[in-house]
Amino acid sequence: MCLSAQRHFSVTTSAPAAAREFGHAVIVTALAPAGWSLADDVGLVISELVTDAHDRGAAQADVNVDVHFDHVELRIVDDRPRELYGPADDIAARARQRILDTLADDLVTDMTSNGSARTVAELTVDPTHTRTLACEQKPV
């Protein structure tokens, strides 16, 4: 891993925008300017996942952004009620899912051992954009 950043949010109506700005700032800080276009995608994915947590009744969410030499891993852990875990079937949720399917190379939601919902999304990074970072397991 090259860089890891985490932030806790109270899931209010302003949380998606704040989480989007956080993710965007992490990527712009980490990557060479040529990689900054990824910041918009990362911000949008985070915003959609925090919006989903909000719509499902979560009060708190932790957003983690881990930059690796060839991908970014986003983890959102929220405290939505257990009965609201699982796929939503409304127009807004389906629209969010289409956005996430378009931007994320991999997307998995599961329950943690303590009952929190955890969503992990991965987005590909061009390794030339991370070449100046000190990364673990970076190819030579």
Side-chain angles (χ1 to χ4, degrees), residues 64-81:
N64 300 275
V65 179
D66 295 335
V67 179
H68 299 265
F69 79 95
D70 64 350
H71 70 280
V72 173
E73 181 180 283
L74 308 171
R75 280 186 323 282
I76 289 74
V77 179
D78 66 67
D79 65 348
R80 73 185 69 173

Side-chain angles (χ1 to χ4, degrees), residues 34-117:
W36 288 354
S37 62
L38 180 65
D40 292 334
D41 292 349
V42 165
L44 183 55
V45 168
I46 290 172
S47 177
E48 295 301 322
L49 293 174
V50 173
T51 298
D52 187 60
H54 176 270
D55 288 355
R56 293 171 184 250
Q60 306 292 319
D62 291 317
V63 176
N64 300 275
V65 179
D66 295 335
V67 179
H68 299 265
F69 79 95
D70 64 350
H71 70 280
V72 173
E73 181 180 283
L74 308 171
R75 280 186 323 282
I76 289 74
V77 179
D78 66 67
D79 65 348
R80 73 185 69 173
R82 186 177 273 291
E83 64 271 11
L84 295 179
Y85 171 77
D89 192 28
D90 59 40
I91 292 171
R94 287 193 300 270
R96 275 193 302 274
Q97 191 61 51
R98 281 194 298 275
I99 291 168
L100 295 169
D101 289 344
T102 300
L103 297 177
D105 298 311
D106 192 26
L107 182 70
V108 176
T109 300
D110 60 7
M111 295 297 287
T112 66
S113 60
N114 69 356
S116 298

Side-chain angles (χ1 to χ4, degrees), residues 117-140:
R118 173 182 50 213
T119 303
V120 179
E122 287 189 8
L123 289 80
T124 300
V125 175
D126 181 342
T128 62
H129 302 315
T130 59
R131 68 175 167 245
T132 60
L133 298 176
C135 301
E136 297 172 10
Q137 302 174 350
K138 192 173 184 179
V140 286

